[in-house]
Amino acid sequence: MKLNQLTIKELHKKLKAKEISPFEVATDVLSHVDGVEEDIHAYVSLNNNLLDDSKNVTEIDNPLAGIPIAVKDNMCTKGVLTTCSSEILYNHLPVYDATVVNKLKRQNYVMVGKTNLDEFAMGSSTENSAFKITRNPWNLETVPGGSSGGSAAAVAADMCIAALGSDTGGSIRQPASLCGVVGMKPTYGLVSRYGLVAFASSLDQIGPITKDVTDCAISLQAIAGHDNKDSTSLGVNTPDYRQALSAEVKGLKIGLIEELMVEGIQKEVKELTDHGLNLLEKMGASVGPVSLPHLEYALSAYYIIAPAEASSNLARFDSVRYGLREEAEDMVDTYKKTRAKGFGDEVKRRIMLGTYALSAGYYDAYYGQAQKVRTLIIDDFKKAFEKYDVLVSPTSPTTAFKIGEKATDPLQMYLSDICTIPVNLAGLPAISIPCGVDDKGLPVGFQIIGKHLDESTVIKAAYALEQEIGFKEKPKLLKRD
Amino acid sequence: MSDYEAVIGLEIHIELNTQSKMFCDCEVAFAGEPNTRTCEVCLGMPGSLPVTNEKAIQYIAKLGLALNCEIANFTQFHRKNYFYPDMPKDYQISQFDLPVAGKGYLDIESDTGEFKRIGITRAHIEEDTGKMLHISRTGRIHGADYSLVDFNRAGTPLAEVVTEPDIRNPDDARIFMQSLRNIALHLGISDVNMEEGSLRVDANVSLRKVGQKELGTKTEVKNMNSFRALKRALDFEIARHTKLLEAGERVVQETRHWDDAGGKTTSLRSKEEAHDYRYFPEPDLVPLTLKPSYIEEIRATLPELPEARRKRFEDQYSLVPHDARVLSFEKAVGDFFEESAKDYKNYKSLVNWIMGEFSYHLNNQGLAIDECALTPKHLVQLLKMIDDNTISGKIAKEVFDEMFNTGKLPSVIVEEKGLTQITDQSEIEKVVDMVLEENPQAVTDLKEGKDRALGFLVGQVMRLTKGKASPELVNKLLWEKIKQ
Ligand SMILES: [Zn+2]
């Protein structure tokens, strides 16, 4: 077995025992990436110093020391290209590291590269990248999901050991689901957003994409915690998430979200969700239905709030200080030409939606109303959590869809995030773990949502289910040789 | 006289002199090598986030309290969205419906001596923009070959104070600004220098028939870079409105630019061209809760403000109201007076010198009291030399002139120039005798009751002693000799 196929925990054990070296791990990862990247297109840019970097890791004193990890290309890496998969940042070299990148550096990780995403994290298929379309390792004709499609595909295809993603409306969990890996969106404010190029500030959250729940806990431990550079970062002490890695769910109260098990959800997805619930019940958890009555408005509220914030967050790409500049006659023309060329269609669509929603005379009807809906959804979750410890649902209504299938229909595409968006609106932690494959052999994700800052219970339930399911399938990579 | 009265409201921006910027650690300072005091936050680099400078919140709360404003217990930042190259993020972090300071007022004293209460609508905190340099003949963006941006100023904490339309004439507008400036100086929250742009003012002007309640159509005037410019621009704008209205024409609601060299305002943009700022709550910053105990703590740190100081000056130094007001108006003047008064108890004389000779010299050279070489020590020493007859009052003015220009102590100047007053009676007597002998006609005139001749004779003695003779002594001796 090649070292790139192992998990963080497995590698750490071997590294610590000096059975293997970081250089050997990096070598296996790199040679595999060299072999499959032309099929997957997971990376916007690769770290050309990967092997040298791995040689510099001499102490295995941290769980991530010497572990090759991929970083989504919307997190700033000092002096290393950070594009957000957008033409407008095609040449952008940040002058600083994102806090999460700093934290990984302090653990002596090695960065494999920067992974592809839907431009500025806007999308659910990674087809909106300005540079390349990432393919799902399980079936190269299908999308890996998005927007963290590059990260999820890279983890699924063993092109890194773990990856960082960002999740604004499901951008970690949905691609994790479609790629058959584990993805977690932590509580809003648990992980610093400093250095994450903002899409929608009140919803964005960084989280890990890993091969299993254990690695998820290890990675989360590394990146969580207060950061005084991020005012929305929560001032809490993070518990030891690895202590939640016990298969003990006896007495755990689980609520199945009724509204997310209705029509529009693929048959096998529903079946596998039920199957997962049965397993948990067998292990001693109690399961009941729960209704979140305002869930039907979640998508509408999200598509007001997120574009509104995005329209403002993306204003700074004006060619004055960095990024693309299209020379023109005057200042306004320079803005117009640069932004017309630099942004893709989906980004422009959302900037326009958001600008409209914030305009004088429309603010109350759109943005104001959406914020009220958001409050109602938060209350729905609060009520549900009075009765249950965790809530569950499918992560995505369907398994991976064909490349191009939804690309021309934004509304269909937006519906891919119906199960994940409400969680962002409420700022809650949630995980997606693989729970089987459909009749086409494509993985299905199982979503577990926790109370505010209760990542531990989410990890505990996910770990128990993971052990019971024993999901061992791996994508059969179609290497052309 | 016109049948119209002016209605003026001001919008003032004050750059706060905190150590670091509003939302990052960069230093706050004036000028400097362009783009050296910047970081990823104040350059609006992708991914950077703001963190509120707590000192700036204290400062705006102080200003609010000094302006008798209600301080909000719950306050929030909003984003004001518009594109401009000096605005790194293309939105400004500002405040909207939940400012730190709400309704308040400031009492001003008109040139007529009348007290007027000017309402404060609000005072909020925001971040400043960078500065642009347009490379063109006019220095304005229109027709520029290219423009440069310096972000050193970007992110400097900025207080915005908005008044009610309570001001009725340009002089009161100027006095309001001077009073506000003095308050900021007393609070120590800003350098409030209009030339350097740390104090800026825009004015809304409209006219209405005397007695009418409804407001007329207003214009907003920008780019007034001195108190004088404010007064001139308002005079111009009021005259322009008056002319339009009297001709039966309408005032167009618009923003106008004051051209100081040309002495006129020109249209900058119409109401239709006004921005839609698309304000919304800043999601990168959590709303602030200012507890009543916190606000009281800040109140307790407020220094003595001009009004309180004026009253104290009347009581403590027995100054007449007018003198107390003049001395307490500017912080530095009041400080100079009090520092001097520690060592010199003839307050009346002290006040006369500060408000007379000193202020004359300052005005002449366009200096502020803390910008010149003269310290309280200089003045006190000079006054003591007069009191103990070391020098005459006339010589003192000469010495003052010298020490104002050179910063030398009066004792040094008197020593160097040999200006010590001649108080030796026999020495003066010799000169008096000589003068009387040489001017028999003047002596006769004086004896015949023509008192003017005395001045002439004193003048002759002073001329011969190079002004060093004690005038009292000269007077006394002349009379004695003539009566003999
Ligand atoms: Zn800065």
Side-chain angles (χ1 to χ4, degrees):
Chain A
M1 193 178 245
K2 292 282 196 182
L3 296 176
N4 59 301
Q5 295 173 321
L6 301 183
T7 64
I8 296 174
K9 190 187 175 189
E10 290 162 349
L11 286 170
H12 180 67
K13 205 175 155 199
K14 288 179 191 292
L15 285 165
K16 187 103 183 156
K18 296 204 162 31
E19 287 167 38
I20 55 169
S21 70
F23 180 72
E24 289 170 277
V25 182
T27 304
D28 278 4
V29 168
L30 189 59
S31 69
H32 184 62
V33 170
D34 281 345
V36 300
E37 172 63 2
E38 62 177 16
D39 291 325
I40 307 293
H41 306 287
Y43 289 96
V44 174
S45 62
L46 282 163
N47 175 9
N48 293 324
N49 300 321
L50 174 61
L51 295 181
D52 285 344
D53 288 354
S54 72
K55 279 189 212 159
N56 289 332
V57 182
T58 49
E59 289 277 321
I60 307 299
D61 41 3
N62 290 304
L64 298 183
I67 305 291
I69 293 173
V71 177
K72 190 178 180 179
D73 206 22
N74 62 348
M75 295 171 209
C76 289
T77 40
K78 188 174 179 178
V80 174
L81 202 61
T82 300
T83 68
C84 295
S85 288
S86 177
E87 191 70 35
I88 214 157
L89 285 178
Y90 78 103
N91 61 353
H92 181 56
L93 299 174
V95 297
Y96 72 105
D97 276 321
T99 297
V100 285
V101 172
N102 252 323
K103 289 192 166 206
L104 294 184
K105 276 188 174 173
R106 258 181 263 137
Q107 290 226 3
N108 279 318
Y109 91 124
V110 285
M111 187 176 78
V112 185
K114 305 294 292 286
T115 57
N116 198 23
L117 61 147
D118 286 297
E119 185 179 2
F120 285 106
M122 297 177 187
S124 310
S125 68
T126 316
E127 290 166 289
N128 293 336
S129 166
F131 306 127
K132 51 180 70 171
I133 293 177
T134 300
R135 291 167 187 263
N136 191 322
W138 293 79
N139 178 343
L140 297 184
E141 303 304 309
T142 65
V143 302
S147 65
S148 310
S151 286
V155 173
D158 293 326
M159 297 164 79
C160 60
I161 309 306
L164 292 183
S166 69
D167 190 317
T168 306
S171 281
I172 288 174
R173 292 158 289 155
Q174 186 258 12
S177 169
L178 269 52
C179 290
V181 292
V182 174
M184 185 178 213
K185 181 201 94 73
T187 302
Y188 182 81
L190 182 68
V191 178
S192 169
R193 292 187 294 116
Y194 196 79
L196 169 68
V197 181
F199 159 18
S201 314
S202 74
L203 300 159
D204 295 343
Q205 183 65 193
I206 292 171
I209 297 178
T210 54
K211 294 179 184 179
D212 63 17
V213 176
T214 303
D215 280 7
C216 176
I218 294 169
S219 308
L220 180 64
Q221 199 76 53
I223 58 173
H226 179 69
D227 178 12
N228 53 23
K229 286 180 164 179
D230 175 359
S231 307
T232 61
S233 155
L234 299 166
V236 291
N237 289 324
T238 47
D240 187 346
Y241 298 115
R242 285 161 297 195
Q243 285 190 357
L245 297 169
S246 69
E248 186 51 67
V249 289
K250 211 167 176 184
L252 190 75
K253 287 172 282 181
I254 302 174
L256 174 66
I257 302 172
E258 284 179 321
E259 286 82 0
L260 297 178
M261 285 293 272
V262 292
E263 56 169 324
I265 308 288
Q266 191 182 317
K267 190 167 138 277
E268 292 117 314
V269 171
K270 266 200 243 182
E271 286 167 4
L272 285 167
T273 306
D274 281 332
H275 176 64
L277 273 172
N278 287 338
L279 293 178
L280 285 164
E281 214 166 5
K282 267 191 209 145
M283 294 168 77
S286 63
V287 177
V290 66
S291 170
L292 304 175
H294 297 96
L295 219 57
E296 58 174 311
Y297 307 111
L299 206 62
S300 315
Y302 176 85
Y303 277 99
I304 299 287
I305 295 168
E309 293 179 8
S311 70
S312 174
N313 283 331
L314 270 60
R316 68 186 64 190
F317 303 105
D318 59 8
S319 84
V320 174
R321 287 142 296 129
Y322 43 76
L324 180 76
R325 175 182 289 182
E326 286 293 289
E327 295 294 342
E329 274 305 296
D330 60 21
M331 181 184 89
V332 174
D333 248 19
T334 306
Y335 286 160
K336 283 183 180 168
K337 279 200 174 146
T338 301
R339 291 167 67 82
K341 180 153 191 290
F343 289 138
D345 287 347
E346 183 60 26
V347 172
K348 285 177 189 159
R349 184 177 296 125
R350 295 199 197 191
I351 289 174
M352 284 189 279
L353 270 174
T355 304
Y356 183 79
L358 291 176
S359 295
Y362 298 99
Y363 181 92
D364 290 341
Y366 292 105
Y367 193 80
Q369 200 67 13
Q371 289 293 6
K372 282 181 197 153
V373 169
R374 188 172 185 175
T375 307
L376 292 172
I377 288 169
I378 291 169
D379 289 346
D380 279 0
F381 273 110
K382 264 190 197 146
K383 273 194 204 112
F385 279 121
E386 282 168 13
K387 224 173 140 189
Y388 297 103
D389 300 316
V390 292
L391 306 181
V392 302
S393 78
T395 306
S396 165
T398 66
T399 55
F401 45 90
K402 283 247 159 61
I403 288 169
E405 188 183 323
K406 297 181 183 179
T408 53
D409 187 347
L411 280 183
Q412 269 306 310
M413 190 70 90
Y414 294 172
L415 282 170
S416 321
D417 292 328
I418 184 84
C419 303
T420 47
I421 277 175
V423 180
N424 295 81
L425 288 173
L428 301 171
I431 200 169
S432 175
I433 65 165
C435 63
V437 292
D438 70 359
D439 57 0
K440 286 171 281 184
L442 293 169
V444 171
F446 186 95
Q447 178 174 234
I448 303 171
I449 305 162
K451 295 176 186 171
H452 189 72
L453 282 173
D454 193 11
E455 276 75 6
S456 290
T457 305
V458 173
I459 288 169
K460 186 190 279 181
Y463 182 74
L465 183 58
E466 180 186 55
Q467 300 306 307
E468 201 62 21
I469 291 173
F471 183 80
K472 287 284 182 277
E473 276 93 335
K474 278 285 192 178
K476 292 172 216 42
L477 276 182
L478 312 173
K479 201 180 164 209
R480 294 191 195 106
D481 57 13
Chain B
M1 262 321 275
S2 153
D3 303 334
Y4 294 98
E5 72 168 352
V7 177
I8 299 167
L10 302 177
E11 193 181 296
I12 302 106
H13 286 99
I14 302 171
E15 262 181 18
L16 303 182
N17 58 5
T18 50
Q19 257 185 349
S20 56
K21 291 186 181 180
M22 187 67 219
F23 298 114
C24 63
D25 293 335
C26 293
E27 189 201 347
V28 168
F30 177 67
E33 188 70 20
N35 295 309
T36 50
R37 289 191 305 273
T38 57
C39 68
E40 66 257 25
V41 177
C42 56
L43 285 176
M45 290 286 186
S48 64
L49 295 171
V51 176
T52 305
N53 180 346
E54 210 220 296
K55 200 87 190 171
I57 301 295
Q58 278 180 30
Y59 279 19
I60 185 71
K62 271 189 187 182
L63 181 61
L65 289 168
L67 295 175
N68 308 292
C69 294
E70 298 162 17
I71 305 300
N73 291 321
F74 184 83
T75 181
Q76 189 172 34
F77 288 101
H78 271 63
R79 287 190 189 174
K80 180 179 182 180
N81 295 283
Y82 66 95
F83 280 87
Y84 209 70
D86 64 7
M87 177 70 77
K89 302 183 291 297
D90 289 293
Y91 61 79
Q92 178 188 34
I93 304 178
S94 181
Q95 296 202 282
F96 187 56
D97 54 353
L98 292 165
V100 171
K103 286 208 169 306
Y105 61 87
L106 175 61
D107 290 330
I108 61 163
E109 189 188 357
S110 279
D111 287 336
T112 55
E114 189 187 347
F115 279 91
K116 289 176 183 168
R117 176 158 293 189
I118 310 299
I120 304 292
T121 314
R122 57 185 282 150
H124 77 236
I125 184 89
E126 59 188 26
E127 56 177 340
D128 207 348
T129 62
K131 268 184 183 166
M132 285 187 80
L133 182 64
H134 304 297
I135 308 304
S136 74
R137 212 160 38 81
T138 57
R140 291 180 69 178
I141 192 164
H142 252 299
D145 293 334
Y146 60 94
S147 303
L148 301 168
V149 201
D150 174 9
F151 292 105
N152 280 351
R153 194 181 72 178
T156 299
L158 201 58
E160 179 178 312
V161 178
V162 181
T163 78
E164 292 291 306
D166 290 347
I167 300 168
R168 292 288 168 269
N169 64 66
D171 281 313
D172 284 356
R174 175 182 51 76
I175 291 165
F176 177 89
M177 285 300 291
Q178 284 167 337
S179 305
L180 180 63
R181 178 174 184 275
N182 289 331
I183 285 175
L185 285 174
H186 275 78
L187 295 173
I189 59 170
S190 172
D191 306 331
V192 276
N193 183 321
M194 278 190 104
E195 277 74 29
E196 288 181 1
S198 52
L199 175 64
R200 289 168 243 160
V201 60
D202 300 332
N204 283 302
V205 191
S206 66
L207 258 57
R208 66 179 169 198
K209 279 250 162 65
V210 175
Q212 179 183 311
K213 261 202 163 160
E214 307 81 67
L215 295 171
T217 307
K218 68 177 177 185
T219 52
E220 187 185 5
V221 189
K222 286 184 178 290
N223 193 46
M224 296 161 294
N225 298 322
S226 64
F227 293 134
R228 205 174 101 86
L230 171 68
K231 156 101 167 101
R232 287 176 68 213
L234 289 174
D235 280 338
F236 177 89
E237 205 47 20
I238 290 165
R240 195 180 68 84
H241 283 215
T242 308
K243 207 169 152 193
L244 284 171
L245 295 174
E246 281 176 349
E249 289 176 50
R250 288 161 52 121
V251 172
V252 180
Q253 186 173 342
E254 62 185 352
T255 303
R256 297 181 69 86
H257 180 90
W258 169 247
D259 167 11
D260 204 51
K264 61 180 196 297
T265 65
T266 53
S267 180
L268 199 62
R269 59 173 171 265
S270 71
K271 190 189 171 196
E272 287 70 32
E273 293 169 290
H275 295 288
D276 175 1
Y277 291 122
R278 291 175 284 117
Y279 279 100
F280 76 103
E282 166 58 285
D284 286 334
L285 294 168
V286 288
L288 297 172
T289 306
L290 308 181
K291 292 195 184 116
S293 59
Y294 174 83
I295 296 167
E296 286 319 306
E297 261 171 50
I298 293 175
R299 196 192 299 276
T301 69
L302 286 186
E304 186 183 41
L305 293 170
E307 185 57 19
R309 198 176 215 192
R310 180 182 66 79
K311 286 194 188 118
R312 185 168 60 80
F313 278 8
E314 285 180 26
D315 296 343
Q316 186 176 339
Y317 302 105
S318 310
L319 301 188
V320 297
H322 172 264
D323 294 355
R325 202 178 315 124
V326 173
L327 287 178
S328 60
F329 192 66
E330 272 188 57
K331 182 174 181 341
V333 176
D335 288 349
F336 192 102
F337 167 72
E338 287 213 276
E339 189 59 33
S340 308
K342 278 183 196 163
D343 293 321
Y344 189 75
K345 303 300 170 194
N346 185 349
Y347 305 134
K348 181 68 198 157
S349 167
L350 187 58
V351 168
N352 287 343
W353 274 84
I354 291 175
M355 287 169 51
E357 202 64 17
F358 196 6
S359 117
Y360 170 79
H361 275 76
L362 289 171
N363 283 341
N364 248 358
Q365 304 207 8
L367 289 173
I369 197 163
D370 46 2
E371 287 170 347
C372 71
L374 208 140
T375 67
K377 190 180 170 190
H378 287 87
L379 186 59
V380 168
Q381 199 181 74
L382 183 74
L383 298 187
K384 284 184 175 167
M385 287 172 92
I386 300 169
D387 290 353
D388 65 14
N389 284 323
T390 309
I391 53 171
S392 67
K394 189 167 152 42
I395 292 287
K397 290 195 177 177
E398 207 180 311
V399 173
F400 187 94
D401 198 55
E402 171 92 10
M403 71 179 185
F404 186 90
N405 291 321
T406 63
K408 283 184 191 166
L409 280 172
S411 53
V412 175
I413 297 168
V414 167
E415 176 73 28
E416 277 177 3
K417 297 201 158 179
L419 296 174
T420 310
Q421 188 162 238
I422 304 166
T423 46
D424 181 342
Q425 187 158 334
S426 61
E427 208 175 313
I428 297 174
E429 217 171 332
K430 279 185 215 150
V431 185
V432 167
D433 288 341
M434 201 162 77
V435 168
L436 292 176
E437 213 175 290
E438 283 173 6
N439 298 284
Q441 185 58 46
V443 176
T444 316
D445 287 353
L446 193 58
K447 281 183 176 161
E448 285 169 5
K450 292 180 183 163
D451 282 1
R452 259 187 312 158
L454 180 68
F456 171 78
L457 291 170
V458 171
Q460 289 307 305
V461 177
M462 294 312 277
R463 186 175 62 83
L464 290 170
T465 57
K466 298 203 172 73
K468 289 187 285 183
S470 162
E472 292 88 46
L473 219 48
V474 174
N475 242 321
K476 193 180 125 217
L477 287 172
L478 274 171
W479 273 121
E480 279 171 13
K481 302 252 172 202
I482 285 167
K483 279 181 192 153
Q484 279 169 12

